[in-house]
Amino acid sequence: MISIIKSKKILRRFFVGCISITFWICVWQWAYLAVGEEILVVSPLEVLNRLGVLLRHWSFWMTVILSMFRILEGFLLGIFLGTGFAILTEVSRVGSALLRPVIGIMKATPVASFIILALVWMKSSQVPVFASVLIVLPILWANVSEGIRKTDRSLLQMAEMYRFGRVGTVKKVYLPSVLPYFTAACTTGMGMAWKGGVAAEVLSSLPLSLGGEIYRSKIYLETTDLFAWTAVVILLSVLLERAMLCAVKAAGVRFGFYSGEGYDEH
Amino acid sequence: MSIEIRSASKSYHGAAVLNNFSLSLPSTGTVCLFGPSGCGKTTILNCIAGLESLDSGRIIGTENLKISYLFQEDRLLPWNTALKNIEAVLPRKNSRALAAEWLRLVGLEAAADKYPCQLSGGMRRRVAIARALAYGGDLLLLDEPFQRLDAGSKDRMMELIEKKTEGKLKILVTHDKKAADHLSDIIYHFDGKMIKILDNINSERQHYT
């Protein structure tokens, strides 16, 4: 019975999603017809055709794979460092005093400033990784810190009383408490990593990169290519976000951090 | 093992909850602290458990003691099933079988795979009781142990606690006169400052009935 209700919910969500996408494609088509200038707005069909052409070239796949690896590398490093910094700031006063100003600066500094500075400091292929790290790190840090701080004190007392020990308390109380905050940060972080990473690729006009292709489209006023490459970035960002959420959820269920089911109040 | 509370004082935001309070507890049996809400009964349990510290005074005899604490709130891990909540306090060896047995004893074998939010208040309370008993402490602290239980469940839980903790010291905090009368060997009336023995073994039990 529950599985039927679930299937119905998934189907309904799928149809609502399809209707929503169709609506916005119609709006796009209308904008294309209203503007009437292909250099400003291209039609969805032309973008689809161009994508079809691009997909047949090996350089497209190389571009996608290399960009994806750069951004994923930055994203994962951001997760690792952001989580580590969050733990440090929550368990150590010295760590907190040292790291808070740095993270404050990271949050406030415009991404473009970082990217231009990074272009001076390092090889252009490293800049997208660096930009993604700097964008993801404060998001992870803020969310994981919040998760640690908001861990239910009464459960921690219970863990102390029943002698869970440090490892047991982390595994049985802290990790499941922090998991929703971590997941939310990863979801936001993934989108932001793509934005920052591609912006860095644009500014460094890196060969075999999505940002580089977007930059070249702009230089030669190839609006169809610009739209097509942007669509690829959006698609990759959404797909990777979904894949990451599935992985986090599977890990959560595997290690008993949550049931994987919605909690229905009795 | 006997526990002694000597000249204990504790206040929250300037309001005294315990004021130069002393009490000697026997090594076995059930001692009930009976009194109005907010008089500091739970504070005493928390101080005995070592979860809160006293402003002044001492508690002697609780060092290295394994304490099972049935908190006023159930404090079950929301991400764990009923079975896993009990398993969490058991040593690894045979923990699953032991946890299942404890669930059976509290009449919840069918709810083993249910999460706390899928259980009723009374069922959650029974899981918490099973967990406290399964842990097998030398001292059992029971804070309003029978709240949210129906009459039948309450009787069964009282019987189970009596049976499984024989020869151990239990400190019971309750408003429930029936539970206090049924389980306790000594009943103290407690108002944060003064303690008055209202009842003890086999005497004046009708006082509460």
Side-chain angles (χ1 to χ4, degrees), chain A residues 152-227:
Chain A
D152 191 340
R153 298 290 131 189
S154 68
L155 290 183
L156 290 173
Q157 280 188 339
M158 183 275 292
E160 185 188 337
M161 216 56 251
Y162 288 113
R163 296 181 183 172
F164 281 14
R166 277 192 186 183
V167 176
T169 305
V170 168
K171 195 179 164 220
K172 290 171 187 164
V173 184
Y174 275 114
L175 284 180
S177 302
V178 172
L179 190 71
Y181 294 87
F182 178 79
T183 312
C186 286
T187 310
T188 316
M190 179 61 90
M192 297 303 283
W194 274 98
K195 281 187 184 184
V198 171
E201 285 178 343
V202 169
L203 287 175
S204 56
S205 55
L206 197 65
L208 284 179
S209 73
L210 291 167
E213 293 299 334
I214 289 172
Y215 180 71
R216 264 181 292 286
S217 312
K218 178 232 164 196
I219 294 286
Y220 300 114
L221 293 174
E222 287 169 347
T223 315
T224 313
D225 276 20
L226 180 64
F227 271 70

Side-chain angles (χ1 to χ4, degrees), chain B residues 110-199:
Chain B
D113 295 326
K114 297 236 186 246
Y115 288 86
C117 61
Q118 296 168 325
L119 302 172
S120 69
M123 287 161 104
R124 282 200 291 267
R125 197 60 184 155
R126 280 188 278 160
V127 176
I129 290 172
R131 180 179 65 183
L133 294 176
Y135 182 62
D138 311 308
L139 166 66
L140 192 66
L141 305 177
L142 303 161
D143 196 352
E144 297 291 355
F146 309 113
Q147 57 183 340
R148 299 191 304 275
L149 293 182
D150 58 71
S153 296
K154 193 162 93 177
D155 289 343
R156 281 196 298 277
M157 291 306 107
M158 282 197 283
E159 204 178 301
L160 185 70
I161 290 172
E162 271 191 316
K163 196 174 148 191
K164 295 288 176 185
T165 59
E166 221 179 319
K168 291 178 179 175
L169 174 61
K170 294 159 287 265
I171 305 174
L172 169 70
V173 159
T174 188
H175 285 109
D176 185 335
K177 288 182 180 176
K178 187 188 168 193
D181 187 53
H182 182 89
L183 281 176
S184 310
D185 298 312
I186 306 167
I187 301 175
Y188 291 103
H189 185 269
F190 178 70
D191 64 6
K193 294 173 194 164
M194 191 174 67
I195 271 185
K196 198 163 43 173
I197 300 173
L198 287 179
D199 198 1

Side-chain angles (χ1 to χ4, degrees), chain A residues 112-125:
Chain A
S113 306
F114 274 131
I115 296 170
I116 290 163
L117 270 174
L119 279 169
V120 179
W121 293 339
M122 53 185 77
K123 283 195 284 182
S124 55
S125 62

Side-chain angles (χ1 to χ4, degrees), chain B residues 95-121:
Chain B
S95 65
R96 200 172 172 81
L98 283 170
E101 175 59 15
W102 277 107
L103 274 181
R104 192 189 63 76
L105 289 171
V106 295
L108 287 175
E109 58 269 56
D113 295 326
K114 297 236 186 246
Y115 288 86
C117 61
Q118 296 168 325
L119 302 172
S120 69

Side-chain angles (χ1 to χ4, degrees), chain A residues 14 24 50-51 86 148 171-172 192 236:
Chain A
F14 175 75
W24 287 110
R50 183 67 188 135
L51 274 174
I148 295 172
K171 195 179 164 220
K172 290 171 187 164
M192 297 303 283
L236 282 172

Side-chain angles (χ1 to χ4, degrees), chain A residues 56-266:
Chain A
R56 286 197 286 270
H57 287 94
W58 70 269
S59 59
F60 169 84
W61 295 105
M62 282 302 288
T63 304
V64 165
I65 289 167
L66 286 175
S67 274
M68 204 168 75
F69 273 120
R70 278 184 216 110
I71 287 157
L72 271 182
E73 190 185 342
F75 173 72
L76 293 173
L77 261 171
I79 286 184
F80 181 73
L81 290 173
T83 307
F85 283 9
I87 295 167
L88 256 176
T89 49
E90 290 308 312
V91 302
S92 153
R93 282 188 184 179
V94 179
S96 174
L98 281 174
L99 291 172
R100 270 180 199 280
V102 181
I103 290 157
I105 290 167
M106 271 188 207
K107 272 179 170 172
T109 311
V111 187
S113 306
F114 274 131
I115 296 170
I116 290 163
L117 270 174
L119 279 169
V120 179
W121 293 339
M122 53 185 77
K123 283 195 284 182
S124 55
S125 62
Q126 291 170 337
V127 178
V129 179
F130 181 71
S132 302
V133 171
L134 288 181
I135 287 174
V136 174
L137 193 153
I139 299 171
L140 258 292
W141 170 78
N143 276 266
V144 173
S145 293
E146 179 89 347
I148 295 172
R149 272 199 303 276
K150 294 238 170 110
T151 301
D152 191 340
R153 298 290 131 189
S154 68
L155 290 183
L156 290 173
Q157 280 188 339
M158 183 275 292
E160 185 188 337
M161 216 56 251
Y162 288 113
R163 296 181 183 172
F164 281 14
R166 277 192 186 183
V167 176
T169 305
V170 168
K171 195 179 164 220
K172 290 171 187 164
V173 184
Y174 275 114
L175 284 180
S177 302
V178 172
L179 190 71
Y181 294 87
F182 178 79
T183 312
C186 286
T187 310
T188 316
M190 179 61 90
M192 297 303 283
W194 274 98
K195 281 187 184 184
V198 171
E201 285 178 343
V202 169
L203 287 175
S204 56
S205 55
L206 197 65
L208 284 179
S209 73
L210 291 167
E213 293 299 334
I214 289 172
Y215 180 71
R216 264 181 292 286
S217 312
K218 178 232 164 196
I219 294 286
Y220 300 114
L221 293 174
E222 287 169 347
T223 315
T224 313
D225 276 20
L226 180 64
F227 271 70
W229 285 110
T230 307
V232 171
V233 173
I234 293 168
L235 198 69
L236 282 172
S237 172
V238 170
L239 286 178
L240 282 176
E241 187 186 306
R242 288 279 161 87
M244 186 210 57
L245 278 179
C246 286
V248 172
K249 200 172 171 180
V253 174
R254 165 74 182 79
F255 295 107
F257 296 163
Y258 58 53
S259 68
E261 304 280 346
Y263 292 131
D264 302 314
E265 282 298 335
H266 200 280

